[in-house]
Amino acid sequence: MEGVNKVRINQKDLNRIIRNAFDCDVKTGTELTDGWANAAYSLELSDGRSVVLKVAPPKGVKLMRYERNMMKTEVEIMKHFGASGDVPVPRIHFYDESESILPVPYFIMEKLHGYPYNKASDTMTPEQREKVERRLGELNRRINDVKGSRFGLYAFESPHDGSWREAFRWLIGGVLEDGREAGVVLPAQYEEFEREIDQRLPALDGVSEPSLVHWDLWAGNVFVLGGEITGLIDFERALWGDPLIEHYFSHFGNSTSFEQGYGISTMEEDARIRRCLYDLYLDLILAIECSFRQYEDRNHVEWAARNLAEGWERFRSV
């Protein structure tokens, strides 16, 4: 997705980056345009390696409040699972936050075999899709089995991390403040959004243990090959919170196979209210981030506005 948050790296700088990390050169390089936040390049190196370079947004670009320390978050979590072997992730080859070569942080990771599930699923049989989504449920559960000592963003501590209710109120409140500052028009007044959200926040009090949450584990961040998952990517938005906030539990998910793999079948009333809060949180981000990133794809911008309007109506009915 094209937007102002992506750094363009020329061939000279690509070679400088690779020589600094591996003491070899770039044979070929292709920009990966599917990402939404960071710039990414698929590189074939002169030593035979295939890697992906990921580059943080330019410093002058205004980010949303929840977008804190995202590259650090992604690198740390992938290193954790790379060491534990509990979840298949790309190996991190090199991480540079010194800003000595580029004026922004970047990292180089192993290139996964296979294709994003959102692109490959149409070529797969129903049995293969069921197998992949069941396995994804198992892997997502393993991620959530990692426990933390506080709630909130993975690599950014705030004064609101003492409870999940407090942390989530800070997160969704920050998104609304981002929208206010950017002049984004919502389906209702901001004050009405805040009132309706506050009425439902007590449902979060039942979440007492901070779990590691990927939060962005949609099909585009799942790589598959031959009907098997080869790896999971994009942990940059991870947080300590409620596993029910994960993508495949959202109104975009709706996969019985995932739920079977994860080990969940029914939701109590408080859980349904929590899930509606999380749906609204995501729908707000999808709409408001369009102003921050200045997406060129008007179809996506219009879709995000419609999706929020529909999500707002669903939320109010709960």
Side-chain angles (χ1 to χ4, degrees), residues 72-313:
K72 178 182 179 182
T73 295
E74 183 167 19
V75 168
E76 286 189 6
I77 293 176
M78 287 201 294
K79 283 184 174 180
H80 168 82
F81 286 119
S84 72
D86 292 336
V87 175
V89 296
R91 178 186 174 191
I92 301 293
H93 290 302
F94 193 80
Y95 175 44
D96 184 4
E97 53 183 345
S98 70
E99 301 181 12
S100 59
I101 294 180
L102 294 181
V104 293
Y106 65 87
F107 71 88
I108 304 166
M109 65 181 177
E110 167 192 13
K111 183 177 180 179
L112 290 172
H113 296 292
Y115 308 91
Y117 182 46
N118 65 319
K119 294 185 175 181
S121 61
D122 287 345
T123 67
M124 299 168 67
T125 66
E127 293 76 18
Q128 286 176 319
R129 290 195 293 270
E130 288 174 8
K131 181 181 178 182
V132 164
E133 291 176 16
R134 189 177 297 109
R135 178 59 174 158
L136 181 58
E138 295 171 358
L139 294 174
N140 205 154
R141 182 64 177 260
R142 290 185 186 178
I143 294 170
N144 299 155
D145 283 343
V146 177
K147 306 303 179 184
S149 58
R150 61 175 181 81
F151 290 97
L153 297 176
Y154 176 88
F156 180 79
E157 296 185 25
S158 84
H160 310 282
D161 293 348
S163 71
W164 178 231
R165 176 177 177 177
E166 188 180 8
F168 182 77
R169 179 66 184 87
W170 179 78
L171 287 169
I172 197 169
V175 173
L176 288 170
E177 284 304 305
D178 289 331
R180 274 195 178 99
E181 291 178 3
V184 177
V185 178
L186 302 184
Q189 296 296 317
Y190 280 82
E191 292 77 12
E192 185 175 353
F193 268 81
E194 290 165 341
R195 284 195 300 272
E196 295 287 342
I197 289 167
D198 285 343
Q199 288 176 9
R200 293 162 176 79
L201 286 178
L204 304 186
D205 289 341
V207 181
S208 58
E209 187 176 38
S211 298
L212 180 62
V213 174
H214 185 296
W215 188 74
D216 196 22
L217 197 55
W218 69 292
N221 288 333
V222 180
F223 273 66
V224 298
L225 183 65
E228 303 284 346
I229 293 177
T230 59
L232 310 180
I233 61 170
D234 282 8
F235 288 80
E236 60 200 11
R237 291 173 176 79
L239 50 87
W240 299 107
D242 179 4
L244 203 58
I245 201 173
E246 293 285 25
H247 174 83
Y248 263 83
F249 294 126
S250 76
H251 66 89
F252 294 117
N254 192 27
S255 169
T256 301
S257 298
F258 175 88
E259 293 175 358
Q260 289 172 346
Y262 190 92
I264 188 172
S265 56
T266 59
M267 288 190 188
E268 302 295 333
E269 177 66 15
D270 276 2
R272 289 195 308 105
I273 296 173
R274 280 153 46 202
R275 187 54 255 181
C276 288
L277 281 162
Y278 307 152
D279 278 337
L280 183 65
Y281 176 60
L282 176 56
D283 292 339
L284 281 166
I285 288 175
L286 289 171
I288 291 170
E289 73 179 8
C290 293
S291 293
F292 282 78
R293 297 182 183 169
Q294 299 176 33
Y295 290 140
E296 296 177 3
D297 186 347
R298 296 307 305 172
N299 289 330
H300 174 76
V301 173
E302 292 167 4
W303 170 85
R306 290 195 304 271
N307 177 66
L308 176 57
E310 294 167 3
W312 174 238
E313 290 306 316

